[in-house]
Each structure stands twice: as structure tokens, then as C-alpha cells.
Amino acid sequence: MRFTRREPISKEEENYIRFTAYNTLIEFGETSLPVLSEFDQIINSSIFIFSMQSISRKLGHSEDYFSIGDKGIGIYVSMTGHHVLLYNDRLPSYEIRWTIARLLYLVISGKLERQPDMFHFADCHEDMERCDIFAYYFTCPDTILDKCEIRSAADIIAHCKIPFSYADKKSRSLGKAANTSIKSLQSLEEILKENFALFIEHSHQYIRSK
């Protein structure tokens, strides 16, 4: 499968994706790391997240019925107005978390609705880079990492539960330069810090006890 070559993602677009990731964390009611502590969820009555295997069993199919989806697939069902995200529950939990985060970008960006009633793969489409940017900010929100002094790849893996390669890249990106204040993000960051207040306090207590 070949995709059209795209222009590099601008800093403005990356900041917008960060905005959508933070807003999604707030809408989902996340209050601690790792996010998506429970994978199977019905969110806002419009986003259904289930494993491929459980849906296969409910539909009376063999467990590998959706194996074409590999790590995960998403679809917008136009008849009912639902986004359905399916992940492979045979993957390690940190791979599942990253896969769901990638699929969520396809929901938030409107891609699933623009191409309804067809499967979209979590790790094989033209928006992969944008999906990964969203996943970085959704699973590892900078403002929370900063408040909790979570910076190393090991600490990111321990708290955010994402694959090592992504945790390592996130750690290196945090070390390049201090995040500059972005006005459009400030209100969301304050809400996130308030929502994660207990988690932040517990992380500080852990650091002080070391």
C-alpha cells in the first residue's frame, strides 16, 4: 500500500494536536497515569472500545475473525452513529494502550466519519505521524510529567505504561528544551493539573520518600 507524500507537520499543527489530546483527556475524565487503565469502555455513548476477540465471540465468530486488523482497527458505523475501536488483546498492555491512543486520533480528527463503514488500521495509514503525536500527548501529557518530575524513559515506562521505543523518544524530546507557554493550552493545562492533583501529590510523596 502506497500513500501520497505529505509535507512535514508544522509546529502549529503539532500544538493543535496537543490541544486535542489534552481536551480528550479531560473529556474522558482521566485523573492518573497510566491513562486508559481499563481498555474496554463505552465513552460518551458514541465511542466503543473492545477487544477483537471479545467482539468475535459475541458475534459468534472464531477469535481470530478480526485478525486482519493486526494490532487494532477502527470504524465509524453510519447506521448507528458509533465509533468502534477494536484492539488485539493478545498484545502486551503497553502496546494496547498505544494502539487505542492511535485509533482515538482517527476519531477525534474526524477521519473515521469522513470514510464511514470501512475499517481503518491502527498502524497502516497516511496519518500515522499525527496519530503518534496525539498518542504521545494523550498517554504522556507534558504538563503532568513536568509536575511529577517524570523525565527518564524508565520513569515514563513505569508511570505511563507505553512501549520502550516511544518512552525513550518522549524522554529525549523532554530534554531538548523547556516547554514554552502556549496561550491556547494554558486553560487545558490548568484543568489537567487540577484533575490529576491527587496523582501529582502521590508522586511527590514517592519522590520525597526515596
Side-chain angles (χ1 to χ4, degrees):
M1 185 179 294
R2 298 180 64 184
F3 300 123
T4 303
R5 183 179 178 86
R6 294 197 170 200
E7 292 297 318
I9 294 173
S10 67
K11 192 62 180 178
E12 290 74 16
E13 184 176 4
E14 180 176 344
N15 287 335
Y16 177 73
I17 295 173
R18 190 194 325 191
F19 180 94
T20 62
Y22 286 2
N23 192 58
T24 303
L25 285 169
I26 293 167
E27 288 186 355
F28 281 23
E30 295 288 349
T31 59
S32 65
L33 299 177
V35 300
L36 298 174
S37 58
E38 294 183 9
F39 296 132
D40 287 13
Q41 296 188 47
I42 296 177
I43 300 168
N44 297 333
S45 301
S46 65
I47 304 175
F48 294 0
I49 304 175
F50 298 113
S51 75
M52 299 176 184
Q53 289 80 3
S54 66
I55 290 299
S56 294
R57 290 192 296 269
K58 287 181 181 179
L59 295 176
H61 301 304
S62 61
E63 286 205 344
D64 63 353
Y65 183 79
F66 291 105
S67 61
I68 188 176
D70 193 21
K71 292 182 179 181
I73 47 179
I75 185 172
Y76 177 73
V77 183
S78 59
M79 182 177 294
T80 62
H82 292 110
H83 301 86
V84 181
L85 309 182
L86 302 179
Y87 64 87
N88 186 343
D89 68 12
R90 295 192 177 97
L91 295 172
S93 61
Y94 51 84
E95 286 281 3
I96 292 174
R97 181 168 290 103
W98 194 260
T99 296
I100 294 174
R102 279 178 166 172
L103 291 171
L104 282 172
Y105 178 75
L106 300 183
V107 175
I108 304 304
S109 67
K111 183 178 179 64
L112 296 189
E113 289 192 41
R114 290 193 297 272
Q115 296 178 312
D117 305 314
M118 62 180 290
F119 285 126
H120 298 260
F121 297 87
D123 56 355
C124 185
H125 55 82
E126 69 274 19
D127 284 328
M128 283 298 300
E129 187 176 358
R130 290 171 176 83
C131 286
D132 280 345
I133 291 171
F134 178 89
Y136 276 120
Y137 288 120
F138 182 78
T139 63
C140 312
D142 289 34
T143 188
I144 303 304
L145 299 189
D146 181 60
K147 290 293 291 184
C148 296
E149 300 180 38
I150 298 171
R151 299 186 182 93
S152 70
D155 284 345
I156 291 171
I157 291 171
H159 290 90
C160 302
K161 310 295 186 185
I162 63 172
F164 169 78
S165 59
Y166 298 109
D168 182 56
K169 185 174 180 180
K170 181 71 177 186
S171 176
R172 285 186 279 111
S173 72
L174 291 173
K176 285 181 180 178
N179 288 320
T180 56
S181 178
I182 301 171
K183 189 173 182 180
S184 62
L185 290 171
Q186 289 175 355
S187 60
L188 291 181
E189 290 173 338
E190 290 306 313
I191 294 171
L192 279 179
K193 285 185 281 189
E194 183 177 340
N195 289 353
F196 280 74
L198 283 177
F199 175 81
I200 293 169
E201 176 58 26
H202 289 158
S203 70
H204 287 169
Q205 290 176 357
Y206 173 75
I207 291 172
R208 289 195 294 268
S209 68
K210 291 176 70 174

